[in-house]
């Protein structure tokens, strides 16, 4: 079954004009629309399916600084404050809590890596606490196992993937923006050498600026206009268990399994890095650029099946603006779960936490994590298509940094001083190799 997702009633009538059109109603697109609407711009957000129905509702819900790549850490830090501010400003509830994240390990190399990151974190005033064996055992006492050490990041937290994007979309409409579900963006129009409109299945919206926040669909959309955006989607499986294990910490990560408390008191379970690579024509096209990524993370990836071909998000076809596109044939990416991973994840949870034995598996789902060759998102205006701003390739980190990314994109669109330095994210970097630049975490 698909991941849980709140329903939001959106705007019925498509506007003829907008200051900015946002393509994609995930967490990135919604927060971008929110911050632009706050600045008084007329914003239209178009989503081919439902708000938040793809990876924005299928992730773990973590909002973390811990173990962030140095390029993403400033955005992660800003995002934590913005998660809190959003609820206070909008009155909408995303389920965000600074509950702290607990990491436990018996692997010396892993602990050493966390310690190195902690030394770096102190230089940028990020709070993180390395745990001794005794401290780890105390914080992880629910496991009943000894631990060599761990990390606790007290200011990190979680938000509710089932509620967050719909809540932000609701806030956008309160501010006067329009949000349109079941409305695929088929493409763009150009006039005088720059973007002049976004063509949707329900009509054309005249605009000078569009933000492409299309997640796993972004690269194939870019290809329609000769834009080479290297992107690969990794299929990951998650399951949920029923409420009742109240003695568990809100978040617990181990190499064996990771657990996150959801809004209903149940837990999301997953194995970090246990992804499937579904072969597609697009993956073959970009394979050489992803060699550094695959070399570093090959232990965490396994060959997949034909899900990618069936879904159509990594196709090589060209489509016409007056006919249905692949996005209309596949409104919501809902790939098959890896049943072997579901069984393994649940068994590992039982082995780690004896109290889990009475918890039933209530749901399991899969989603596509859209990754770039270096594991850092692409954010910035496309030089060959003035007026088109790319915001995709968040590599499994988009949910947590969604508010900061949305704010940064709104800054770029508005031409104001950016929230953080935008240069590390600019898509121009994909013209060069990612060797030596792949994010460690």
């Amino acid at each position: 079954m698909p991941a849980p997702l709140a329903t939001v009633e959106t705007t019925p009538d498509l506007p003829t004009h907008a200051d900015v059109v946002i393509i994609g109603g995930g967490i990135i697109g919604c927060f971008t629309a929110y911050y632009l609407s706050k600045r008084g711009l007329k914003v239209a957000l178009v989503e081919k399916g439902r708000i938040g129905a793809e990876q924005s509702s299928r992730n773990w819900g973590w909002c973390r600084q811990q173990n962030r790549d140095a390029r993403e850490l400033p955005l992660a830090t800003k995002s934590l404050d913005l998660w809190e501010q959003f609820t206070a400003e909008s009155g909408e509830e995303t389920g965000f809590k600074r509950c702290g994240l607990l990491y436990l390990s018996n692997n010396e190399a892993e602990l050493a890596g966390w310690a190195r990151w902690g030394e770096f974190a102190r230089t940028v005033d990020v709070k993180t606490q390395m745990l001794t064996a005794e401290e780890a055992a105390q914080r992880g006492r629910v496991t009943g196992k000894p631990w060599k050490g761990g990390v606790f990041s007290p200011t990190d937290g979680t938000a509710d993937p089932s509620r967050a994007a719909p809540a932000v979309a609701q806030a956008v409409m309160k501010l006067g923006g329009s949000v349109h579900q079941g409305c695929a963006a088929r493409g763009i129009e150009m006039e005088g050498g720059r973007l002049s409109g976004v063509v949707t299945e329900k009509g054309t919206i005249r605009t000078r600026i569009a933000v492409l926040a299309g997640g796993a669909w972004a690269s194939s959309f870019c290809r329609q206009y000769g834009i080479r955006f290297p992107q690969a989607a990794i299929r990951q499986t998650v399951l949920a268990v029923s409420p009742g294990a109240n003695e568990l910490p809100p978040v617990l990560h181990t190499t064996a399994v990771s657990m996150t408390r959801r809004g209903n008191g149940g837990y999301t379970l997953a194995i970090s890095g246990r992804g499937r690579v579904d072969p597609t024509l697009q993956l073959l096209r970009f394979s050489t650029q992803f060699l550094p990524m695959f070399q570093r993370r090959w232990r965490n990836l396994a060959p997949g099946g034909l899900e990618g071909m069936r879904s159509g998000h990594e196709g090589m076809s060209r489509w016409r603006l007056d006919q249905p596109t692949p996005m209309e044939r596949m409104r919501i990416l809902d790939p098959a779960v890896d049943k072997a991973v579901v069984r393994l994840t649940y068994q590992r949870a039982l082995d780690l936490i004896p109290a889990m034995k009475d918890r039933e598996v209530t749901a399991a789902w899969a989603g596509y994590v859209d990754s770039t060759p270096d594991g850092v998102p692409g954010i910035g205006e496309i030089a060959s298509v003035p007026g088109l701003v790319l915001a995709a390739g968040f590599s499994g980190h988009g949910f947590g940094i969604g508010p900061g990314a949305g704010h940064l994109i709104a800054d770029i669109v508005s031409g104001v001083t950016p929230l953080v330095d935008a240069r590390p994210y600019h898509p121009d970097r994909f013209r060069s190799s990612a060797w030596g630049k792949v994010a460690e975490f």
Side-chain angles (χ1 to χ4, degrees):
M1 65 177 291
L5 180 63
T7 299
V8 56
E9 295 295 327
T10 52
T11 317
D13 298 324
L14 198 70
T16 58
H17 293 77
D19 294 323
V20 186
V21 175
I22 313 295
I23 301 171
I27 199 71
I28 304 300
C30 287
F31 267 118
T32 300
Y34 174 71
Y35 288 113
L36 287 170
S37 296
K38 280 190 67 179
R39 297 172 193 194
L41 295 176
K42 182 179 180 181
V43 176
L45 185 153
V46 296
E47 163 56 46
K48 61 182 173 49
R50 293 176 60 194
I51 293 297
E54 293 191 342
Q55 197 55 24
S56 293
S57 61
R58 296 164 188 260
N59 60 85
W60 298 6
W62 289 21
C63 305
R64 64 178 172 90
Q65 299 167 100
Q66 178 67 39
N67 291 342
R68 284 285 188 202
D69 183 87
R71 290 162 289 186
E72 279 190 354
L73 184 57
L75 210 50
T77 300
K78 295 289 187 182
S79 291
L80 288 167
D81 292 336
L82 292 173
W83 276 110
E84 288 181 323
Q85 291 174 19
F86 171 77
T87 299
E89 293 171 352
S90 69
E92 299 292 333
E93 182 55 63
T94 65
F96 176 74
K97 296 181 178 64
R98 285 190 189 251
C99 56
L101 308 185
L102 175 62
Y103 298 65
L104 300 174
S105 181
N106 282 317
N107 183 294
E108 296 285 3
E110 187 173 45
L111 290 168
W114 294 345
R116 286 193 300 272
W117 190 89
E119 292 172 1
F120 155 69
R122 282 191 289 276
T123 68
V124 289
D125 297 324
V126 172
K127 295 180 180 179
T128 184
Q129 178 186 351
M130 287 297 297
L131 304 177
T132 65
E134 182 178 355
E135 291 168 335
Q138 173 61 23
R139 286 193 177 271
R141 57 189 177 276
V142 68
T143 68
K145 295 176 173 58
W147 298 96
K148 289 185 178 180
V151 175
F152 183 65
S153 53
T155 59
D156 290 350
T158 62
D160 188 341
S162 71
R163 299 158 64 191
V168 183
Q170 193 69 47
V172 170
M173 291 184 286
K174 283 183 180 179
L175 291 169
S178 64
V179 179
H180 310 273
Q181 297 178 108
C183 182
R186 291 178 172 176
I188 61 173
E189 291 183 342
M190 304 282 288
E191 185 178 305
R194 68 167 292 128
L195 187 143
S196 63
V198 173
V199 180
T200 80
E201 63 180 295
K202 295 182 178 180
T204 299
I205 308 173
R206 293 295 162 200
T207 186
R208 300 279 285 172
I209 303 174
V211 176
L212 177 56
W217 297 88
S219 184
S220 59
F221 191 101
C222 284
R223 187 173 185 273
Q224 309 304 306
Y225 303 95
I227 303 164
R228 196 174 193 277
F229 173 42
Q231 187 178 38
I234 310 301
R235 177 164 51 101
Q236 295 191 330
T237 294
V238 176
L239 62 125
V241 296
S242 57
N246 299 322
E247 63 271 37
L248 269 67
V251 179
L252 173 61
H253 168 78
T254 71
T255 301
V257 66
S258 296
M259 306 177 179
T260 311
R261 186 181 295 155
R262 294 187 72 93
N264 66 354
Y267 274 77
T268 293
L269 310 180
I271 300 174
S272 179
R274 186 58 67 102
R276 292 282 182 180
V277 181
D278 295 327
T280 63
L281 294 176
Q282 180 173 292
L283 181 63
L284 293 175
R285 177 192 182 202
F286 295 132
S287 59
T288 56
Q289 283 192 261
F290 277 90
L291 284 176
M293 173 74 75
F294 290 148
Q295 183 185 60
R296 170 166 285 192
R297 301 185 180 178
W298 66 270
R299 292 181 179 87
N300 297 328
L301 300 172
L306 299 178
E307 285 295 301
M309 295 287 193
R310 180 184 69 83
S311 298
H313 61 292
E314 290 191 349
M316 297 286 286
S317 64
R318 303 275 185 174
W319 57 73
R320 293 176 49 166
L321 302 186
D322 61 349
Q323 295 181 355
T325 64
M327 289 88 73
E328 291 151 79
R329 291 189 286 272
M330 181 60 69
R331 294 283 178 181
I332 297 171
L333 284 175
D334 187 23
V337 300
D338 187 328
K339 294 182 180 178
V341 169
V342 172
R343 292 191 295 269
L344 179 63
T345 303
Y346 187 55
Q347 186 56 56
R348 286 186 176 186
L350 294 179
D351 293 342
L352 181 68
I353 310 287
M356 276 282 177
K357 69 180 185 301
D358 296 325
R359 308 278 67 76
E360 297 179 353
V361 176
T362 57
W365 58 85
Y368 278 116
V369 173
D370 57 309
S371 180
T372 62
D374 58 10
V376 175
I379 302 173
E381 187 173 16
I382 302 297
S384 60
V385 185
L388 180 63
V389 177
L390 178 67
F394 281 80
S395 306
H397 309 154
F399 184 79
I401 64 174
H407 197 298
L408 175 62
I409 299 158
D411 295 341
I412 292 170
V413 168
S414 304
V416 303
T417 302
L419 180 75
V420 299
D421 184 2
R423 289 173 295 181
Y425 310 111
H426 200 281
D428 281 354
R429 74 182 191 277
F430 298 128
R431 297 173 185 171
S432 61
S433 170
W435 289 107
K437 304 171 186 174
V438 177
E440 186 172 350
F441 299 100

